[in-house]
Amino acid sequence: GKLTGAPPSNATVIEVVGKQFNWIIRYPGKDGVMGKRDFRKINDANNVLGLDWTDKDNMDDIIAQNGEMHLVVNKPVSILIGSRDVIHDVGLPHFRMKMDAVPGI
């Protein structure tokens, strides 16, 4: 299989966001859709990813701040990689994948 390129239509989308000294993982909720984000709404007290709470697709998203990503065996995944602050290196050694997360991209 390919590590880059368009994911299959049945791929689960997972967002991985670098934060200094940590990773934040976001999964879509039961609706299978992740809502919109806005970096201007980031607040460590109650909105670590800057979710736009006027977007109903955010209401069921699942956020894991412990940096652990969980995948379903034999299910394709599309990983959206980003950063809140500095360049971070996302590495998944078992998949032989490594990519930089650059703020603003």
Side-chain angles (χ1 to χ4, degrees):
K2 294 182 178 180
L3 287 178
T4 59
S9 60
N10 66 335
T12 299
V13 177
I14 299 173
E15 185 174 33
V16 177
V17 178
K19 173 185 170 189
Q20 203 161 19
F21 309 114
N22 195 14
W23 292 102
I24 304 168
I25 314 296
R26 179 166 69 141
Y27 304 92
K30 289 186 179 188
D31 63 4
V33 179
M34 283 196 262
K36 296 176 187 169
R37 291 180 49 210
D38 182 342
F39 73 92
R40 295 169 293 192
K41 297 179 185 289
I42 291 174
N43 178 326
D44 280 332
N46 58 20
N47 196 354
V48 295
L49 289 176
L51 301 184
D52 181 347
W53 295 118
T54 63
D55 183 351
K56 66 176 179 58
D57 291 331
N58 274 320
M59 299 307 170
D60 65 347
D61 290 357
I62 301 161
I63 298 173
Q65 294 187 57
N66 65 358
E68 290 183 15
M69 180 170 54
H70 297 268
L71 304 174
V72 177
V73 175
N74 295 323
K75 174 117 171 87
V77 64
S78 174
I79 301 174
L80 304 175
I81 298 171
S83 172
R84 283 185 13 163
D85 43 31
V86 298
I87 296 174
H88 295 276
D89 181 55
V90 178
L92 302 172
H94 291 86
F95 296 96
R96 295 184 181 183
M97 193 222 55
K98 196 174 203 180
M99 187 174 283
D100 287 336
V102 180
I105 295 180

